[in-house]
Amino acid sequence: CQSEQFIRRRRMATRSALTSISTILERLVAGERSGLARAITLTESTKKSSRAAGQQLVSAALKCNREREVRTGKSTFRIGLSGPPGAGKSTLIEALGRLLTDTGRRVAVLSIDPSSSVTGGSILGDKTRMPELANNPAAFIRPSPTTGTLGGVARSTCDSIVLCEAAGYDTVLVETVGVGQSETAVADMVDLYVLVVPPAGGDVLQGLKRGIVELVDIVLVNKADGDLLPAARRAKMEYLSALKLLRHKSGLWAPPVLTVSAIEGAGIDDAWTTMLEFHSTMDKGGELATKRREQSKLWLWTHVTDRLMVRFKGSSKVRDEIGAIQRKVEAGELTAGQGADVLLAAAFDDR
């Protein structure tokens, strides 16, 4: 009968999906770039079945990561890099990535590209700014769109970090979109938060303000070369003075300010040494493990918020009501808050 045929097709589709997930996981753990890319694509998908498959992969990846950490006694290093447009973040990441791969580390770069508020599209051109790293077999670069997500990162960045670690990348660099004051969500995803700034002082410092400066662990003044070297040194002193006025996140670490030149490679070694010092200090003090546990809880609520929006927008009752509610809000018959309450009640049957 038709119902039995339908059930058989569903079972076959389920077995096929599980086989596919198993295959992707095998390729992922084997360190294949194509397997990692496919896994990240599933976590980024808005399609329900793909998203569910992606979460199964993330769950398996978490288990692999825990087993590897117990077996080797070593943890991965998650580094977030933020900064205003033009600070040279991509050039700096390529210089740092070359240094790390030359010393035997495997580096994954998750580069977040802003999405157009008009078309929803993204250029995703970060690989073109890191040509050497993009062709390095010990590196993996994945550009991802924000797709409207605030905070300078993509919706699934936290899952992508876990997948990169399962693929054997011991250092994960997350490059955010250019920041002002609010793009700080990456601080809740990484072990070390680095602020990259150009050699300009007061105007940039005023633009960034407390929202980001008080969260950083290291400040790197980039482009400290040529005619800009004096300006870079002045900027370093300004940031040092600003940081003295702020309460430190940890009693174990006072954020340093270093000058670097991504083009010339000057200061990159010192910057990496400082990053390793931070990781060692926080790990020995127990704060690194505590931080990751707290971040896991924040990731939970990020997914809850995302799922609620998906359910809300997919509700047939909301689609039936939204046109009339929008017209009433436009006409001033309802406030925006009242309209939102009506739509939320329709979506979740809140009476």
Side-chain angles (χ1 to χ4, degrees):
C1 65
Q2 289 184 344
S3 60
E4 291 177 347
Q5 292 176 352
F6 175 76
I7 292 171
R8 281 198 297 271
R9 285 198 297 268
R10 286 292 299 272
R11 286 176 177 170
M12 290 176 64
T14 301
R15 283 196 295 269
S16 176
L18 290 173
T19 302
S20 177
I21 293 171
S22 177
T23 301
I24 294 172
L25 181 61
E26 288 177 4
R27 293 167 57 196
L28 172 69
V29 175
E32 295 184 20
R33 290 195 198 187
S34 57
L36 175 55
R38 177 57 180 156
I40 293 177
T41 297
L42 288 173
T43 63
E44 290 179 342
S45 176
T46 56
K47 187 178 178 182
K48 187 175 181 179
S49 58
S50 296
R51 191 171 63 242
Q55 287 306 305
Q56 288 185 53
L57 284 169
V58 173
S59 177
L62 275 171
K63 184 178 179 181
C64 290
N65 294 345
R66 285 194 296 267
E67 291 175 350
R68 180 185 291 133
E69 188 168 340
V70 170
R71 186 173 64 254
T72 63
K74 297 179 181 179
S75 61
T76 54
F77 198 0
R78 304 168 180 174
I79 304 171
L81 296 100
S82 295
K89 295 188 295 296
S90 296
T91 308
L92 177 63
I93 287 173
E94 177 160 70
L96 180 60
R98 287 200 307 266
L99 171 66
L100 299 187
T101 54
D102 287 346
T103 58
R105 299 183 78 98
R106 299 190 71 213
V107 179
V109 179
L110 301 175
S111 183
I112 313 303
D113 207 42
S115 298
S116 168
S117 59
V118 178
T119 64
S122 296
I123 297 176
L124 302 180
D126 295 277
K127 278 190 175 182
T128 62
R129 295 196 292 272
M130 307 178 202
E132 292 185 38
L133 205 58
N135 292 308
N136 191 322
F140 172 83
I141 301 176
R142 173 70 179 214
S144 296
T146 59
T147 57
T149 303
L150 299 178
V153 294
R155 172 180 55 83
S156 60
T157 300
C158 53
D159 293 333
S160 298
I161 291 173
V162 172
L163 294 171
C164 288
E165 292 171 341
Y169 293 95
D170 51 25
T171 307
V172 181
L173 308 178
V174 183
E175 179 191 8
T176 73
V177 299
V179 301
Q181 299 175 42
S182 61
E183 285 77 7
T184 56
V186 69
D188 294 325
M189 299 181 177
V190 296
D191 306 320
L192 171 69
Y193 188 27
V194 180
L195 176 62
V196 183
V197 295
D203 291 341
V204 173
L205 186 59
Q206 176 64 20
L208 294 169
K209 294 188 179 179
R210 293 177 66 103
I212 183 172
V213 176
E214 65 186 358
L215 294 175
V216 300
D217 299 303
I218 296 176
V219 177
L220 297 181
V221 182
N222 194 18
K223 303 184 180 181
D225 50 58
D227 294 339
L228 292 175
L229 185 56
R233 289 171 176 165
R234 287 194 300 271
K236 174 181 177 178
M237 298 309 297
E238 289 187 17
Y239 276 96
L240 280 171
S241 299
L243 288 168
K244 288 179 182 178
L245 302 176
L246 301 176
R247 180 180 298 176
H248 299 156
K249 291 192 301 180
S250 168
L252 302 176
W253 184 261
V257 182
L258 307 174
T259 55
V260 298
S261 170
I263 293 293
E264 296 184 354
I268 303 298
D269 284 346
D270 290 340
W272 176 239
T273 299
T274 304
M275 293 177 189
L276 287 176
E277 182 185 349
F278 170 87
H279 189 273
S280 176
T281 299
M282 302 301 282
D283 192 23
K284 290 178 181 177
E287 290 196 14
L288 185 60
T290 300
K291 186 176 187 178
R292 288 199 176 185
R293 287 195 297 269
E294 291 299 318
Q295 288 175 344
S296 294
K297 290 190 286 188
L298 291 172
W299 295 3
L300 165 66
W301 289 107
T302 298
H303 280 289
V304 168
T305 302
D306 178 59
R307 299 294 191 274
L308 285 173
M309 283 302 298
V310 170
R311 278 191 60 192
F312 177 79
K313 292 180 178 180
S315 169
S316 59
K317 293 180 180 179
V318 169
R319 289 196 295 270
D320 292 340
E321 295 266 9
I322 195 166
I325 296 299
Q326 286 182 152
R327 286 191 292 272
K328 289 182 179 180
V329 171
E330 289 172 356
E333 298 175 16
L334 286 176
T335 67
Q338 289 171 330
D341 288 339
V342 173
L343 291 175
L344 287 168
F348 302 113
D349 292 323
D350 184 15
R351 291 182 173 83

